[in-house]
Every structure is written in structure tokens, then in C-alpha cells.
Amino acid sequence: MATATLPRATRFSGRASILRRAFSGDSLAQALVFLCATGILALTALLVWELWTRSALSRATFGFDFLRTGTWDPVAGNFGALPFIYGTVVTSAVGLFIAIPFGVGAAIFLAELAPPKLSDAMTFLIELLAAVPSVIFGLLGIFVLVPMLMKIVPGLKDALGVLPIFSGPFYGVSLLSAGVVLSVMVAPYIISVSREVLLAVPRDMREAALAVGATRWETTWDIVVPHARRGIMGSIFLALARALGETMAVTMVVGNTPKIAASLLAPGYSIAAVIANEFAEATSDLHISTLVELGLVLFGITIVLNGAARLLILATGRKAG
Amino acid sequence: MGVTKVKLSFRRKAVNAFMLALTGICTVVAVGLLFFILGYLFFKGGRSLNLNFFTQLPVPVGESGGGMANALLGSAKVLLLATCIGVPIGFLAGIYLAEYSGAAYASVIRFVTDLLNGVPSIVVGIFAYAIIVTRVGFSTLAGGVALSVMMIPIALRSTEEFLRSVPVSLREGAMALGATKSRTIATVVVPAAIRGLISGMMLNLARVAGETAPLLFTAFGNQFWSPGWRQPTATLPTMIYEYAKAPYDDWHRQAWAAGFVLLTLVLLVNVTARSIISGGLSHKPR
Amino acid sequence: MKKTRMVFLAGMAMLAVAASGETLINGAGATFPYPIYSKWFNEYHKLHPDIQINYQSRGSGAGVQQVTAGTVDFGASDYTLTDTQIKEFATKRGSEILAFPTVLGAAVAAYNIPGVTTSLNFTPEALAGIYLGKITKWNDPELVKNNPGVKLPNADIVVIHRAEASGTTFMWTDYLSKVSKEWEMKVGRGASVNWPLGLGGQGSEGVTGQLKQTPNSIGYVELTYVLQNKIPYGKVKNAAGEFVQADLASVTAAAASAAKNMPDDFRVSITNAPGKGAYPISSFTWLLIPSKISDPTKKKALADFLGWMLKDGQTMTTALSYAPLPKEVVAKETKAIAKIN
């Protein structure tokens, strides 16, 4: 009796023929996909190796002091990463400071308080905000945000100018401007992931609370949100990782000044921005090496944050499941 | 059986209403921002769009009538190359993870892929400069490789996710009829997940289409057409960046137009991709 | 299926193959001469449609680095290479790096002071003081003293400089080092220095853009940029004691003595030049071309372009406010083209 084969399995349309040829030998197919998967390991290893070797000169010259020195002087050959680390951290902190209340608030609304259809529609739109390219945020930053801030900040200074973070002159481009742009860019991540995490909280917890007479808000704030707390933290870490690596929008509005200032109104610099500006023109091997080392530092920070985010989001998922 | 009706205090009701409003405002602000961005770009960019923009090369500083035709083609080429390199690798590796791999090796690959995904885009640019530009020079190839490195992790993750969502019964059915594993995957599993796979690829593409940082010192720039793959090329995002920084009003006008075109394309691809897998993640508390 | 495949292959062929006979040359470097370079390369392409010279304006530092790394065919810079850089090029590329002056330009002190449209007088002390952060207000005595009748506001001066390695920065800091001992000691000259204060703009384009958007700011930038953007700029006191406005005549005057004694490698600095009517922050700008070019079509094209630039190209400079090269320099340079082989 002839082996029964699926008629369809033997007759391939033209488009699938390429696929068929690739998978005709089962062991060949397995080898191919294995190769691709392992290739990714090799690629990542190559990337890390390149970063490591090209930063070798800088690491040998400066050691750990690189991370603590605040001077960036290409003429004298003094390179210190602190101004960039400072700028990266401060702009991201400002971004989160603004994005977290708005983001978590919106996530709560979308997950708990809004009617389902409205929630879906609005989430869809907010996720589109996450798709807007960085350079477009930069464009709007230069031509819309900075002029707007130039009008608002004098008033702000009148009210809060006594605080060191709002002291000093304001030129438009500043750590504050970069922070505001970042907040708009990372808010969708906080909203989207937090909403997911809140939705994953089991139904019965809510129903139990409502049954004993809690209002919707009380249920949300006292029962659901604490349960999802770790996942929300995870979304914040994710947003932070995104903010730290952001290049274009930041470099267009931050002022590109490698100095550490207490005031948010002062211009600053970030790791990604200095690499973008100086990499193609660093004329000494040491200079190039320091920029690569900065890239390595940034990469390291994002790895840690992404890892922590994943653990936190997983923890909430497990608790709820 | 007597049911006592609990009377909510005014304060609690007020707080409830207030927080509803407050969180609602947060949401409206978030959504409103999207509409503001779209509207502003449409207003400033849409009006500056003319035939020249799509058909002319850039002209020297101070002259008018220039366009970004070469940047549009350049972006298309870089993205095509990135897709041709990044998607197959991620796709095939995803098949490996979903269909063949043992758990231990799979978690290693997933971990490393997440690492790769976390590389900041400017650092990807450094990598592409180190391996391609130092050998071939500034080129479409270097830009394409840089973007492909960013596409691989997402292609892998989305492939694995969508293949895993195909029910085991489908696979078992095919194999029970005598199909080999690879044939099963090619003719049963992949087609079953095809909508998710295509959607994932489109979202991936839309994401890298807007990337500028990795192209700064790989594709570099070109005020002429860039033939082939080994020459520097203009791309839409880098032109926006260059023109936005400059003091010339005509360049600003073009930057807005380019921004509008870029945003429209990216959002269109996004919306299309999502509608392909409509249903997605909707409001269903479990 | 066959038809779609044919179309696909034809499309790929179109994307892949360069039109036969096309010579593509890539260069990067100074933003200072970008307006005239973009004009030149465009005009040259119209005359020779098969030759495309793609020039990316990124800053002199990028020009030097990229041509030394071999990622571009030529560089452009507003400062002359140091001996170390020349040696480094020889080591990395195995040939000599030749510098060809192209035009003369001026770095001017441009400003954006609401209400002030006239041309201010700047002394070397004023400029050094502002950029050192010692003169912080527009109505500082040093400025008021030299600008009687101008209403200078009691506002903080916003200093703007270049964010990246720049020949214009070199010109500016070279001048300040010559006129201010304090500057020379504290900051020094270079394409990229440790600025005491100020905002960084990217490229001459970025500085100009920043100037336009920031009230009470001052920045140094090439003359063409301020003229094209109608930004006020000041006169600077030269070595002869006169306040001179940067223009074709004063820039040409600055090059006069150097023109007569031009060294063979064309490395010369004309900041703070002696002589009447000389604008003190002037400079040549150079194309950096390797002496050995392996591709014969590129070599021919570059040599041909240089010849064209020294004749026809020089007639286009004044329209863009660059001064043409002195004829002694042109003569010497025409002979030097033969060094490219």
C-alpha cells in the first residue's frame, strides 16, 4: 500500500518552492536554523569584542578614574566621562519624573477605569506614539519645545528660581529641554506595559474588593496596583533603558556642553550625544578609544536595567498566574 | 436574610470621581500628544511638500528648488538591505528556538539576543563602522548592516512567539501523515502563523526606518544619487537631522516635509501591521 | 512567477550597478567653506556629468580623521596639519598628504542682541575676555568704551562655540592665543578645545542656527553664513590698531604678506596679520588630497577638478563672500597639482 502523503504536501506553489528547497533535507534544515541561531551568538560576541578591544587604549590610560573625572579636553588629552554620565542620568531622571505620574495614571485609567472599547482605542493610539522616530521628536524639540520653554521658564524661575536646579541663565537648549522630550518618548512604554501588567491581575481580587463595598478607585489603588507593583516598576526600568540610549532627540536640544552644572536650565551632554557628534572626527586614537569606552559604559548600564526590568515584569506575571 | 446597603461617604465618592478624572486627563494628554505631533507635522510639513521634494536632488546652499529624491531612494535601499539580512537570520533562528532547540540552549540564545537588543543604537553604529566602514568605506552596505543588527533580535522574538502560538495538534497531524519535521514547519506551521510573522516584520521595519544614529557614520551622506551598495548615501532621517540643525529656512522647510513623509510612512506601516493581527491585546481581564 | 522574477531581477540590477563610466569621489571636512564647495562640486558635475564629487560638511576634524583612515578620498580643513598628523597619515596610508588652498575666508564675531543692528567694535581683549568668561555682560566697560553711542543691554552674554573639532575653532583660538597670553595659557589653540564656557553648536550651520535662536548670544562663524542669514557681526581691531570689518578686501589684505612667502606645502597661518586694512581672523582653507591615488579615474578627476577650481572656480568665490586666492598662490598651486600621482 503506497504511503499516504498529503496531496498538498507534495504540490507546492511557486512561492513556497524556495522554502521547499531550503527544507528538503531535514538535517540540512536543522543545520541551517541552528547556524542562524548560533550566528546570533557569534554576532553578539563579535560586537562585544570590538567594543572591548577598541576601548582598550582608553581603559589602560585612565582606568576607573575615567568614570570619575569631570574634564573633557581633547587638546590636552584629558578625557573624563563624568559630564556625560551626569547628563545622561539627569536627563533620564527628569524624563521619568514627568513620565511616571502621567504614564501610570494613564495606565490605571486604561486598565481599570475606562470602558473596554475606549481603552483599546486609546491604547492603540498611545502605542503609535512609541513608533514616532526619534529624529522627529528632535525636530519638534528644536522648533516647538525650546521656544515654548523660553517663554515659560522665566515665569518658572520667578517662582522656583531660589532652588539650585532652577538657577542660572536659560538658553533654550538645556538638560531640562532634553528631559521633557525624553518624557514624551518613554511615556508610551510605561503606559503600555503597566496596562498589560494591571490587566493581568486576577479578576477575583477586584470582585472581592467591590463586593465589600469599595469604590472602583479604592479597588484599583489599594488592591490591584500594589499587586502589579513589580511589573509597573519593570515598565519604568524599561522606559529608563530607552531614555538612556536615546541619541538624536537629546543631542538636538541638550546644548552639547560637556560640563556638570547643578541647574537643569544649564546645557549639558549625554553619552549617546557625544558619541554621535565626535566619533567621526576624533583625530587621536585615544579620543576614539574613549568614545568607544563611553559606548561600552552605556551598553553595560542598559544591560543591567533591561535585565532588572525583565525580572520584575516576570515576577508580577508569576504572582498573578 | 437582610442585605444592608452600604452607604458610601461623600468623601469616598468624591475621591473616586476625582481620580477617575485625573487619570483620564493623563490619558487624554498622552493621546493628545500624538494628535498634536501628527497635526503639527502635517501642517508644517504637508504644506512644504511639492513635486520637487520627491524628484529633485539637493541644491547648493542658498539656491531653491532642491529636494530629497536621493534620500528617499537611499533609505529604501538601506532598509531593503537591512531586511534582507536581518529578517531571514532572525526568522530562521526563531524557527530553531520554537521547533528544534533544547531548553538550555534556547535560553542561552534568548538571553544573548536580549543583550543584542539592548545595545544602544549609536553603539550599533560604532560596531558597523568597525567592521564594514573600515573595510569598504562609508556605504549603503554599512548602513544596512547596522540596521540589520537592530532587526535581528526583534525578528527572532516575534518569530518564536508566533510559531509557538500555533497549536501542537497541527504539527502532530502533519507528522502523523508522514511529513518530515522541516516539511511540517514549512508547509503547516509557518503558514498558520503567517499573519503574525508578517505583522511582526512590518513593525520591525517601521522601527528601524526611523533610526538615525546608526546611519550617521555608516551611510554617511551624499548629495547625489548613490549607485550600488558600496557608496555613501543620503537617507531620510539623516537629512532631517542635518537640515534641522542648519540656519537656512529653505532647509527647515524641507526638514518638516521629510519629517512628515517619514512619520506618515512609519505610522501607516504600524497601523497596517496591527490590523493584520487585529484582536491583539485587548481589554480582557483574566 | 517567471514574470515577477524578471521584474525583480531587473530592479535589483538597477539598484546594484553603477552607470558605467561614472567616477564617484567622496570627501568630508570643513563646514567653513561648505557654501562654496557645494557650489563648486555642483557646477563641476554639470560640466562633467560622469564625475560626482560628494562632499559632506562635518567639520575639519572629521575631514582629517576620515582621509587619514582612508574612508574618504579627500578631506578638507581650515587648519594646517601638524607634523604629527602628517607623519600619522604617511604611516597609515603610505603616501604624503597634500594640502591645496582653495579660498580665503574670515571668522567673524556674530551676535544676536535685541535692539542692536549696527556693527560693534571688538578689541582682542574684549573677545578673549568674553570667551574666557571674564566679561559676562554686554554693557561691560571694555565693550562700552569701544562702542560709544550704542545701547548695549545689561544682559548676560551667551557664548556659542563649536561642539566638534573645527577649523573655524582653530582659526579663532589661534587668533586668541596670539593676542591674549592668558588665553594661550589657559585654553590654547586647537580644533577642539576645553572651552571655559558656552553652548556647542554643530558645524557652522549649527552655530548660526543657535545664534538666530538665542538672544544676547555671540558666536564665531564664517562670513558667508552671517551674510546669508543676515546676522549682525562686529569689526575687530587688527595688529595695526584699526577696527576692520571682514570683507573681500580686508581678507585679501590679510593674505598679502603670506602670499609672497608661501611655503611649498602651503602651511601658513594668517591670523592677526600685519598690515593696514587686514582683517585679523582670516584664513586659507585647504583640500587635503593624498599624493598617491590608486584609482586612475579618481586621480584624473581630482587633478582636473583642482585645475578647474584654480581658474573657473575662483571666479565664483566673491558671489559667496569668499576672497579668491592671490595669484602667486594660484601659480604655485597649479604647479603642485603634478604631485598627485
Side-chain angles (χ1 to χ4, degrees):
Chain A
M1 153 105 201
T3 333
T5 46
L6 288 171
R8 191 164 284 182
T10 52
R11 184 173 41 87
F12 297 93
S13 68
R15 253 170 256 131
S17 67
I18 300 172
L19 219 52
R20 187 234 325 194
R21 265 180 260 125
F23 285 100
S24 57
D26 212 39
S27 50
L28 184 66
Q30 187 162 354
L32 180 66
V33 294
F34 175 76
L35 224 64
C36 284
T38 313
I40 296 181
L41 295 185
L43 179 69
T44 313
L46 179 65
L47 188 146
V48 175
W49 184 81
E50 283 284 349
L51 288 180
W52 189 256
T53 49
R54 280 170 196 266
S55 63
L57 182 59
S58 171
R59 282 180 291 110
T61 313
F62 299 111
F64 276 108
D65 278 343
F66 184 63
L67 300 174
R68 288 182 303 168
T69 320
T71 326
W72 188 260
D73 186 352
V75 171
N78 283 334
F79 295 100
L82 200 57
F84 311 106
I85 297 178
Y86 176 76
T88 308
V89 169
V90 167
T91 50
S92 303
V94 171
L96 282 182
F97 186 76
I98 301 173
I100 290 175
F102 276 100
V104 175
I108 289 175
F109 180 78
L110 290 169
E112 305 293 316
L113 306 173
K117 285 229 180 77
L118 186 66
S119 171
D120 285 343
M122 290 182 112
T123 308
F124 180 76
L125 292 171
I126 288 174
E127 284 174 357
L128 282 185
L129 194 60
V132 175
S134 168
V135 70
I136 301 223
F137 280 111
L139 196 59
L140 289 163
I142 297 180
F143 294 112
V144 177
L145 181 70
V146 166
M148 192 176 83
L149 282 177
M150 295 216 59
K151 291 208 188 84
I152 297 179
V153 166
L156 193 69
K157 282 188 68 169
D158 286 338
L160 300 167
V162 78
L163 295 170
I165 55 167
F166 287 115
S167 61
F170 181 66
Y171 311 119
V173 289
S174 61
L175 292 168
L176 179 66
S177 314
V180 172
V181 175
L182 283 178
S183 72
V184 177
M185 296 176 76
V186 301
Y189 291 88
I190 298 180
I191 297 175
S192 177
V193 176
S194 296
R195 176 178 172 269
E196 277 311 302
V197 157
L198 286 168
L199 285 175
V201 172
R203 210 188 180 126
D204 23 332
M205 301 194 90
R206 287 188 196 81
E207 290 178 347
L210 288 170
V212 297
T215 61
R216 294 212 66 184
W217 171 253
E218 285 164 353
T219 312
T220 307
W221 190 248
D222 298 327
I223 308 292
V224 181
V225 169
H227 200 266
R229 194 180 42 217
R230 280 194 217 132
I232 297 179
M233 275 302 294
S235 80
I236 293 174
F237 276 34
L238 229 74
L240 180 60
R242 172 95 210 276
L244 293 175
E246 191 38 64
T247 317
M248 304 317 293
V250 172
T251 189
M252 287 160 101
V253 300
V254 79
N256 301 325
T257 308
K259 294 238 166 5
I260 302 174
S263 170
L264 291 178
L265 303 181
Y269 226 150
S270 77
I271 295 178
V274 71
I275 297 176
N277 288 333
E278 297 194 2
F279 189 77
E281 50 155 51
T283 39
S284 70
D285 286 338
L286 181 62
H287 192 177
I288 300 177
S289 182
T290 51
L291 292 171
V292 178
E293 190 179 349
L294 277 172
L296 203 56
V297 168
L298 187 62
F299 183 24
I301 300 176
T302 22
I303 292 178
V304 170
L305 279 170
N306 275 323
R310 203 160 314 280
L311 286 172
L312 285 168
I313 294 175
L314 230 56
T316 312
R318 238 175 262 134
K319 230 169 114 193
Chain B
M1 181 175 78
V3 175
T4 344
K5 187 162 183 224
V6 176
K7 201 150 172 266
L8 286 178
S9 74
F10 178 73
R11 193 188 72 87
R12 287 170 64 203
K13 275 199 232 164
V15 165
N16 192 48
F18 179 71
M19 293 316 282
L20 180 71
L22 194 64
T23 55
I25 290 174
C26 291
T27 316
V28 166
V29 166
V31 175
L33 274 170
L34 176 72
F35 284 114
F36 174 75
I37 292 175
L38 271 172
Y40 202 87
L41 273 162
F42 176 72
F43 180 67
K44 288 218 86 143
R47 291 190 316 172
S48 312
L49 275 182
N50 51 22
L51 198 59
N52 275 351
F53 179 84
F54 292 102
T55 57
Q56 294 300 320
L57 291 176
V59 292
V61 161
E63 296 174 26
S64 61
M68 290 199 189
N70 59 343
L72 289 166
L73 182 62
S75 269
K77 284 166 68 177
V78 168
L79 289 172
L80 179 67
L81 190 60
T83 309
C84 287
I85 300 175
V87 169
I89 294 179
F91 173 67
L92 291 173
I95 290 180
Y96 179 74
L97 280 190
E99 306 292 324
Y100 288 95
S101 164
Y105 196 52
S107 53
V108 168
I109 296 188
R110 253 180 243 121
F111 174 74
V112 171
T113 307
D114 279 344
L115 226 67
L116 191 62
N117 194 40
V119 179
S121 58
I122 191 76
V123 176
V124 175
I126 295 181
F127 175 63
Y129 181 87
I131 60 168
I132 307 278
V133 177
T134 50
R135 295 185 172 85
V136 173
F138 295 115
S139 52
T140 309
L141 177 65
V145 167
L147 292 184
S148 73
V149 169
M150 299 184 72
M151 289 185 90
I152 288 174
I154 300 187
L156 181 142
R157 221 191 281 152
S158 85
T159 303
E160 191 194 353
E161 181 189 320
F162 284 108
L163 287 182
R164 277 193 196 283
S165 73
V166 173
V168 179
S169 49
L170 247 69
R171 289 183 186 76
E172 289 177 343
M175 292 177 81
L177 289 166
T180 59
K181 185 162 186 174
S182 55
R183 198 170 278 192
T184 310
I185 297 172
T187 58
V188 176
V189 184
V190 167
I194 198 74
R195 290 172 87 195
L197 293 174
I198 290 185
S199 161
M201 194 191 90
M202 290 173 77
L203 288 174
N204 203 357
L205 182 67
R207 177 185 166 232
V208 297
E211 286 291 340
T212 321
L215 296 176
L216 289 175
F217 29 86
T218 49
F220 208 46
N222 199 330
Q223 69 252 47
F224 299 105
W225 297 107
S226 169
W229 306 93
R230 299 166 57 115
Q231 290 295 320
T233 178
T235 53
L236 209 54
T238 55
M239 289 290 263
I240 296 174
Y241 177 55
E242 198 186 313
Y243 278 26
K245 284 188 299 167
Y248 314 112
D249 286 331
D250 189 61
W251 282 20
H252 290 172
R253 208 184 40 78
Q254 288 191 57
W256 285 115
F260 177 63
V261 169
L262 181 64
L263 184 64
T264 308
L265 287 172
V266 165
L267 289 183
L268 265 174
V269 172
N270 246 281
V271 170
T272 314
R274 279 161 200 273
S275 64
I276 291 180
I277 41 161
S278 61
L281 309 151
S282 59
H283 190 279
K284 282 198 224 79
R286 286 149 228 177
Chain C
M1 177 60 197
K2 220 166 170 217
K3 201 160 166 208
T4 46
R5 200 184 265 169
M6 297 275 286
V7 170
F8 177 70
L9 286 174
M12 290 304 286
M14 224 167 55
L15 293 175
V17 175
S20 58
E22 240 182 29
T23 311
L24 307 154
I25 301 176
N26 295 303
T31 60
F32 183 89
Y34 180 63
I36 184 69
Y37 285 3
S38 68
K39 176 101 184 133
W40 276 346
F41 296 130
N42 211 272
E43 291 298 319
Y44 191 74
H45 178 63
K46 285 194 204 145
L47 293 170
H48 305 263
D50 55 327
I51 301 181
Q52 263 179 215
I53 305 180
N54 166 31
Y55 180 75
Q56 292 298 308
S57 155
R58 296 291 172 102
S60 302
V64 173
Q65 200 237 38
Q66 298 305 324
V67 75
T68 309
T71 46
V72 294
D73 300 307
F74 70 91
S77 148
D78 319 315
Y79 60 88
T80 51
L81 298 182
T82 59
D83 291 331
T84 330
Q85 287 170 323
I86 293 179
K87 229 179 279 163
E88 198 182 334
F89 184 88
T91 325
K92 284 206 176 132
R93 301 252 70 82
S95 73
E96 214 191 315
I97 182 75
L98 304 168
F100 290 93
T102 52
V103 287
L104 282 163
V108 302
Y111 44 85
N112 174 0
I113 310 172
V116 175
T117 47
T118 55
S119 178
L120 296 176
N121 293 329
F122 290 107
T123 56
E125 294 77 21
L127 291 176
I130 291 174
Y131 271 82
L132 279 169
K134 295 172 68 184
I135 296 181
T136 54
K137 289 212 184 279
W138 278 113
N139 61 352
D140 186 280
E142 176 69 30
L143 292 166
V144 172
K145 160 172 85 176
N146 293 299
N147 292 286
V150 181
K151 227 170 159 279
L152 289 166
N154 181 23
D156 289 324
I157 304 179
V158 183
V159 173
I160 300 177
H161 55 73
R162 290 282 288 274
E164 77 286 6
S166 141
T168 324
T169 297
F170 185 85
M171 223 181 289
W172 190 256
T173 53
D174 184 42
Y175 168 74
L176 288 179
S177 297
K178 283 185 184 169
V179 300
S180 162
K181 276 265 163 303
E182 193 182 353
W183 179 272
E184 196 179 15
M185 272 189 348
K186 281 214 179 113
V187 188
R189 56 170 60 81
S192 176
V193 298
N194 190 13
W195 298 97
L197 80 165
L199 301 177
Q202 282 145 270
S204 306
E205 301 89 348
V207 171
T208 317
Q210 195 68 62
L211 272 169
K212 277 171 97 164
Q213 294 185 311
T214 317
N216 297 312
S217 58
I218 184 173
Y220 59 86
V221 73
E222 211 284 322
L223 180 61
T224 315
Y225 288 88
V226 300
L227 290 175
Q228 277 180 339
N229 290 279
K230 306 200 185 0
I231 300 177
Y233 59 105
K235 303 190 178 79
V236 183
K237 197 178 198 180
N238 67 2
E242 324 156 299
F243 284 104
V244 180
Q245 185 77 303
D247 57 31
L248 298 172
S250 59
V251 170
T252 310
S257 49
K260 304 229 178 338
N261 308 312
M262 182 62 82
D264 285 340
D265 60 2
F266 299 106
R267 289 160 74 192
V268 68
S269 154
I270 57 173
T271 48
N272 210 27
K276 286 178 67 78
Y279 180 72
I281 320 179
S282 309
S283 177
F284 285 99
T285 183
W286 295 262
L287 283 175
L288 304 170
I289 304 182
S291 61
K292 275 202 200 353
I293 300 179
S294 50
D295 183 328
T297 44
K298 282 190 188 176
K299 181 170 47 190
K300 187 168 169 309
L302 274 173
D304 191 63
F305 171 77
L306 283 174
W308 175 86
M309 182 272 288
L310 288 171
K311 289 224 302 285
D312 295 336
Q314 293 295 308
T315 61
M316 300 178 189
T317 65
T318 53
L320 286 166
S321 313
Y322 293 92
L325 298 170
K327 20 189 217 343
E328 302 95 335
V329 178
V330 172
K332 207 172 174 121
E333 223 178 303
T334 314
K335 289 206 212 94
I337 298 179
K339 285 198 199 156
I340 306 177
N341 59 1

